[in-house]
Amino acid sequence: MKHNNHGLTLIELVISIALVSVILLTAVTALSFGQKSFTALNQQGDLQSQAANILLQITSQVRECRSIQAAPDTSTLSLEGKDGKNIKFQWDGAKTLTYIVEGSAPRIVSTQVREIVFTTSGDGVDIRLILQSQEQTFTLRDYIHRR
């Protein structure tokens, strides 16, 4: 008697489907992890860039100012500009850091500030800045001297 062995048995088919499923699940998991890692690194890079820009703006004003004063609550930095105008960097206690020049409209510097603390000492200001987006946090601390 001659047997025809050209087809697949049910067990062979189930095992094949299971193996393909495991391979696909592994691939999807790896891609998902890669995407999450990319997103996290991208957010961290954005926060670092934003912190550098904030620090650059504050530094340029502090170095050119006549006097420096931090408010008692430490969330506002007041400067007297070289032209005599009052300049403020003010944090609202929530997320927004605003740049205010006497006689001009306030300008929002950042909306991702979780905390900023200004402390004057000597001839400069100590700044502790914490930025936060969705799942990422970035902390920066620096001391800026007046010229």
Side-chain angles (χ1 to χ4, degrees), residues 78-143:
S78 299
L79 309 168
E80 181 184 350
K82 62 182 178 181
D83 57 1
K85 289 185 179 181
N86 291 324
I87 300 168
K88 287 185 181 179
F89 287 92
Q90 188 170 16
W91 180 54
D92 67 358
K95 290 184 174 185
T96 305
L97 179 65
T98 307
Y99 172 67
I100 305 165
V101 178
E102 182 181 353
S104 300
R107 185 171 50 90
I108 294 175
V109 177
S110 176
T111 58
Q112 293 184 316
V113 177
R114 188 174 91 188
E115 181 180 6
I116 189 165
V117 176
F118 300 107
T119 310
T120 56
S121 62
D123 202 22
V125 61
D126 184 50
I127 299 170
R128 184 169 51 102
L129 172 65
I130 301 173
L131 296 178
Q132 185 169 12
S133 69
Q134 298 164 350
E135 298 173 7
Q136 296 293 317
T137 302
F138 181 74
T139 303
L140 177 71
R141 187 170 193 154
D142 200 5
Y143 184 81

Side-chain angles (χ1 to χ4, degrees), residues 5-40:
N5 290 332
H6 294 296
L8 296 174
T9 66
L10 182 60
I11 292 178
E12 292 172 330
L13 188 60
V14 168
I15 291 173
S16 298
I17 291 173
L19 285 173
V20 168
S21 296
V22 168
I23 292 169
L24 286 176
L25 182 64
T26 303
V28 168
T29 302
L31 288 173
S32 175
F33 177 75
Q35 182 181 8
K36 286 179 184 178
S37 296
F38 174 78
T39 301

Side-chain angles (χ1 to χ4, degrees), residues 59-75:
T59 299
S60 67
Q61 294 300 323
V62 167
R63 293 225 168 120
E64 299 296 325
C65 74
R66 293 182 185 173
S67 66
I68 304 169
Q69 181 181 359
D73 65 0
T74 69
S75 64

